[in-house]
Structure formats: C-alpha cells, structure tokens
C-alpha cells in the first residue's frame, strides 16, 4: 500500500514508460492453449527500450506533463514555449488529444487535462490497490491447493487478468496470461460482475455481444445465463464449466471495496477432472480477507 502516493506524484511519462517496461519483460512461452490461457512455463526477456521511438509520442508526453503542472487552463503560446515546439505543432497534437478526451479546451486557445485521464487513473488506482491487497493471500491460497489462482477485473464487456499465483513445480496447470481478456458470460469472474448488474443491463449485454460461445458448453441463451446469475447472486459464487476452454473448469468469488462495490474476482482454474469442491471454502475465506483489507465490512 505504500506505493499509492508514488503513483500520484510520478510524472505521466514515467508511469507510461514503467508500464511499457514491465509488460515488456514478461513473455508467455510458446506453449499456448489460447490467447487468454497458457501452460505454466514463462521466461524473462531483456528489457525493452523505455524512451519513445516515435517523436510525436514523446512530444505528446511532454505536453501532458506541462498541463499537469498547472491547475488552471494554459494558453497555447505558453504551452508551446515551455515545450519548445512551434505553436502549429503544439496545436495539432493538442487537438488530437482533445478528440480522445485526454485534453480539454474550456475556451478557444486554452487547454487543460481531460476527464479521460481521471477515468483511466481511477481504473489504475483500483487495480493497483486490489492487487496489493490480493497478492499475498493469493499466494497463500495457491500453496494450499497447488493450483493457479487468478485475479481479474472488469473492463467493459470483458474481464482482464491482472495477477496470478502459480508454481512451475506443480506440474501440468492452466495459467491465465496477465493482460489476457475473455467475455464476461464465459468466465466465472465475469458472471460475478454480470450478477452484480440489474436485469436490464444483463439483457443489454446479451444484445451487444450476442452471447457468442467458444465451446459446446458455452452459455449462449439469455434464459440459461439469467438462471446462472441468479444462483451467483444467492451464493456469491460463480463457475465456468468448460465454457471458455474445453478441459478447464473454474470457480470464483468476488472482492469488494469499502463501499461494498464488486471491484475484482478471484478464481481457481484447474483441469476439469481436478477441480475440487473442498477448495471453495478456502477461496471464499481468501476473498473475504482481501475485501476486509480494502475496508469492506459486510
């Protein structure tokens, strides 16, 4: 938790470069099952270059850093002077950033940081906090069950895997790749997030996605999905019975913050014939401990 303040103080380009650097060091080995799954073997490569090789990106970082130093909107000529760029170049880059809502133009010729940065920053903050609270309990749970434990969050109509606990000494395992994505209705954690939505939102999700399946076990009918979501609401547990990948089953329990909001889910993934129902109590105890660390008192 000590890292929260650092993230708020660090220059924007440092945070972006650090993220690129960290992601660049980890590569999943060639033993792939699917884009979102991988056999447990991983290797570390040499760090990638952290200085932007595209000049316009470096200039964009510089302009965002300049705006971050000012509480009030800044005039175009002042931004150009501080960045050492021609006003026309500065205007062109700021205009593109405005289209993406990374920058706002409250009045003609003045700029400030945009709300999109706040939205992304809140997402990053929530994930970092959850990860900090979850990492040690996840590792303890993995030691108890000797199967991979995955931490996931929701992003739109998908879940994203943000952390995992596994051991290369545990033999054949199914390990989720960090950064991998999967549809909500095909995953145990995804079903927890759908269960937290009201029925109209679930129906809207079904309309948007078409409830596309990936295996013969995939839930592709809204009535069946609603039945499973009702069970998840009642029990606080959701399951993936070979719906995303044949031969792989999962069970998941939710993690809540100090406001009682579902912010993440913890899942156990295992070969279909190895998933043990006795793990369920350990899983829920782990998510309860993580939620308590985040301030949840339910």
């Amino acid at each position: 938790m000590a890292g929260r303040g650092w993230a708020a103080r660090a220059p924007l380009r440092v945070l972006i470069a650090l993220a690129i650097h960290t992601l660049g060091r980890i590569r999943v080995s060639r033993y792939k099952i699917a884009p979102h799954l991988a056999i447990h073997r991983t290797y570390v490569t040499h760090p990638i270059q952290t200085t932007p090789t595209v000049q316009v990106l470096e200039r964009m970082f510089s302009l965002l850093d300049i705006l971050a130093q000012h509480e009030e909107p800044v005039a175009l000529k002042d931004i150009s002077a501080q960045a050492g760029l021609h006003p026309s170049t500065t205007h062109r880059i700021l205009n593109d950033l405005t289209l993406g809502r990374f920058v706002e133009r409250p009045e003609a010729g003045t700029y400030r940081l945009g709300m999109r940065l706040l939205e992304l920053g809140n997402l990053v903050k929530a994930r970092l906090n959850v990860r900090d609270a979850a990492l040690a309990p996840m590792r303890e749970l993995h030691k108890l069950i000797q199967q991979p434990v995955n931490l996931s969050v929701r992003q739109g109509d998908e879940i994203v895997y943000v952390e995992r606990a596994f051991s290369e000494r545990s033999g054949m395992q199914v390990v989720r790749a960090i950064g991998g994505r999967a549809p909500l209705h095909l995953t145990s954690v995804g079903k927890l997030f759908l269960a937290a939505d009201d029925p109209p939102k679930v129906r809207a999700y079904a309309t948007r996605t078409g409830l596309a399946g990936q295996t013969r076990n995939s839930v592709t009918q809204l009535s069946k999905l609603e039945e499973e979501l009702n069970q998840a609401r009642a029990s606080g547990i959701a399951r993936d019975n070979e719906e995303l990948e044949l031969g792989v089953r999962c069970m998941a329990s939710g993690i809540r913050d100090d406001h009682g909001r579902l912010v993440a889910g913890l899942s156990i993934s295992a070969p279909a014939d190895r998933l043990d129902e006795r793990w369920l109590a350990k899983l829920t105890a782990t998510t309860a401990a993580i939620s308590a660390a985040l301030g949840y008192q339910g």
Side-chain angles (χ1 to χ4, degrees), residues 63 66 74-87 90:
L63 295 180
I66 290 169
V74 188
L76 174 62
K77 62 181 181 63
D78 295 329
I79 301 172
S80 299
Q82 292 181 50
L85 298 175
H86 192 278
T90 304

Side-chain angles (χ1 to χ4, degrees), residues 89-149:
T89 301
T90 304
H91 179 268
R92 185 170 61 253
I93 297 173
L94 289 173
N95 185 63
D96 287 346
L97 289 171
T98 300
L99 293 175
R101 297 174 53 234
F102 293 96
V103 167
E104 293 178 352
R105 186 166 43 221
E107 296 179 2
T110 65
Y111 299 86
R112 65 186 177 195
L113 294 180
M115 293 300 294
R116 183 59 178 157
L117 290 173
L118 177 62
E119 295 167 2
L120 295 175
N122 285 336
L123 283 174
V124 171
K125 177 185 175 185
R127 291 169 192 170
L128 288 176
N129 291 346
V130 170
R131 181 188 177 280
D132 289 344
L135 194 53
M138 287 174 62
R139 289 171 174 168
E140 288 301 315
L141 178 59
H142 168 68
K143 289 179 182 178
L144 292 174
I145 66 174
Q146 291 299 301
Q147 290 296 331
V149 179

Side-chain angles (χ1 to χ4, degrees), residues 185 205-213 220:
H185 66 288
Y205 167 83
T207 300
R208 285 194 307 274
T209 64
L211 297 182
T220 58

Side-chain angles (χ1 to χ4, degrees), residues 82 90 174-175 256 275:
Q82 292 181 50
T90 304
V174 178
V175 179
R256 297 185 179 274
L275 196 71

Side-chain angles (χ1 to χ4, degrees), residues 102-253:
F102 293 96
V103 167
E104 293 178 352
R105 186 166 43 221
E107 296 179 2
T110 65
Y111 299 86
R112 65 186 177 195
L113 294 180
M115 293 300 294
R116 183 59 178 157
L117 290 173
L118 177 62
E119 295 167 2
L120 295 175
N122 285 336
L123 283 174
V124 171
K125 177 185 175 185
R127 291 169 192 170
L128 288 176
N129 291 346
V130 170
R131 181 188 177 280
D132 289 344
L135 194 53
M138 287 174 62
R139 289 171 174 168
E140 288 301 315
L141 178 59
H142 168 68
K143 289 179 182 178
L144 292 174
I145 66 174
Q146 291 299 301
Q147 290 296 331
V149 179
N150 313 291
L151 179 68
S152 310
V153 298
R154 180 176 185 171
Q155 190 171 76
D157 291 339
E158 300 175 310
I159 59 128
V160 180
Y161 300 100
V162 295
E163 191 52 85
R164 62 191 178 186
F166 73 105
S167 170
E168 295 192 2
R169 296 189 299 273
S170 297
M172 180 66 177
Q173 306 172 79
V174 178
V175 179
R176 307 293 188 182
I178 294 177
R181 297 168 177 268
L184 296 176
H185 66 288
L186 299 181
T187 62
S188 54
V189 171
K191 290 176 185 177
L192 290 176
F193 279 104
L194 286 174
D197 285 344
D198 55 33
K201 289 184 178 179
V202 173
R203 289 193 290 272
Y205 167 83
T207 300
R208 285 194 307 274
T209 64
L211 297 182
Q214 291 193 195
T215 76
R216 61 175 178 268
N217 289 356
S218 297
V219 176
T220 58
Q221 298 297 319
L222 179 57
S223 59
K224 175 61 175 175
L225 177 62
E226 289 176 327
E227 180 182 330
E228 290 200 18
L229 297 184
N230 286 333
Q231 295 174 355
R233 292 184 186 106
S235 66
I237 300 299
R239 301 172 186 274
D240 160 14
N241 291 308
E242 302 184 71
E243 298 160 49
L244 185 64
E245 189 79 15
L246 287 177
V248 179
R249 296 172 60 209
C250 306
M251 56 174 63
S253 178

